[in-house]
Amino acid sequence: DIVMTQTPLSSPVTLGQPASISCRSSQSLVHSDGNTYLSWLQQRPGQPPRLLIYKISNRFSGVPDRFSGSGAGTDFTLKISRVEAEDVGVYYCMQSTQFPYTFGRGTKLEIK
Amino acid sequence: QVQLVQSGAEVKKPGASVKVSCKASGYTFTSHGFSWVRQAPGQGLEWMGWISTYNGDTNYAQEFQGRVTMTTDTSTNTAYMELRTLRSDDTAVYYCARDVDPFADWGQGTLVTVSS
């Protein structure tokens, strides 16, 4: 199974400041079709997860442009350019390149 | 718009089975498969398995092999997840997710509590 390792596990951030979360996979996430199926999801308290970014850097419909994804191969990053209060929650990276799909342990974003 | 509506909360005794449903609307049901994901209280997300709505093919996480069955009913646009021989550590919120992009759409979650 592909292990997804996220850092940090907790990130206190000041409103209006940037935030960054890293995700490393135990093996390359490049699929045989050439795509890299690395996604980022946000889970606000008491809600189901919500897709933010798919295939490394594609912002899902309705996701604010302060969210961006980057990376390649085994190393990936989610960045929030300016954190807003509504961004509080847990962020997960996830790979769907191969079964079983696997998630990182989650990074809790909180406001200082 | 796409909606995934799951069945209501369940309380089960250890050793029992539970079957959670996920009714889809707003798109062509057979265009994308479903994954089921669970989340124990205060814990992260755990992928349980995937089912094709086109031909019923499945892929289950090793941890659930032999205990889980995922099915779909194309006549009612509903996906199902049955988990058998329940244990206390199966207490969790169970989510269905449409496997496009992937996981662009999620059900609201179904709390399954396993307690004697």
Side-chain angles (χ1 to χ4, degrees):
Chain A
D1 296 3
I2 298 176
V3 176
M4 306 297 288
T5 303
Q6 277 182 244
T7 53
L9 294 183
S10 177
S11 180
V13 183
T14 302
L15 287 174
Q17 293 301 302
S20 179
I21 301 170
S22 295
C23 178
R24 177 168 291 177
S25 57
S26 60
Q27 61 191 79
S28 174
L29 298 186
V30 180
H31 193 274
S32 56
D33 66 7
N35 289 305
T36 300
Y37 294 99
L38 183 284
S39 305
W40 291 94
L41 300 105
Q42 175 197 60
Q43 188 174 32
R44 291 173 173 146
Q47 295 189 14
R50 165 198 179 199
L51 179 65
L52 293 178
I53 303 284
Y54 63 98
K55 286 192 281 188
I56 302 178
S57 59
N58 294 273
R59 212 175 297 115
F60 187 59
S61 173
V63 174
D65 60 8
R66 64 179 182 275
F67 290 93
S68 63
S70 62
T74 62
D75 286 285
F76 307 94
T77 303
L78 174 71
K79 290 184 179 175
I80 309 173
S81 59
R82 294 172 306 279
V83 171
E84 298 188 5
E86 67 178 18
D87 299 336
V88 166
V90 181
Y91 292 78
Y92 297 92
C93 61
M94 186 196 91
Q95 69 81 19
S96 52
T97 293
Q98 70 177 55
F99 290 128
Y101 295 172
T102 46
F103 294 93
R105 289 179 59 191
T107 296
K108 188 172 185 178
L109 186 76
E110 43 199 7
I111 306 301
K112 277 185 192 174
Chain B
Q1 76 281 19
V2 174
Q3 276 197 305
L4 303 178
V5 180
Q6 297 185 220
S7 47
E10 304 260 15
V11 179
K12 296 291 184 181
K13 292 195 182 304
S17 298
V18 69
K19 192 169 186 177
V20 179
S21 67
C22 171
K23 184 169 177 59
S25 61
Y27 72 100
T28 302
F29 184 70
T30 51
S31 61
H32 300 101
F34 280 90
S35 278
W36 288 87
V37 175
R38 77 176 185 179
Q39 186 170 38
Q43 302 301 308
L45 303 172
E46 181 179 24
W47 182 81
M48 299 179 67
W50 170 88
I51 183 166
S52 165
T53 53
Y54 176 71
N55 60 12
D57 281 354
T58 55
N59 192 296
Y60 300 140
Q62 182 69 32
E63 179 185 352
F64 301 101
Q65 287 276 1
R67 274 207 312 143
V68 72
T69 301
M70 296 177 188
T71 56
T72 62
D73 183 343
T74 55
S75 69
T76 60
N77 291 351
T78 304
Y80 297 93
M81 186 283 300
E82 181 181 32
L83 189 62
R84 299 177 293 277
T85 320
L86 290 167
R87 308 183 293 251
S88 58
D89 63 358
D90 290 318
T91 293
V93 176
Y94 290 76
Y95 295 102
C96 61
R98 186 166 73 119
D99 199 357
V100 58
D101 285 335
F103 295 9
D105 304 289
W106 292 70
Q108 82 275 21
T110 296
L111 175 62
V112 175
T113 303
V114 183
S115 173
S116 54

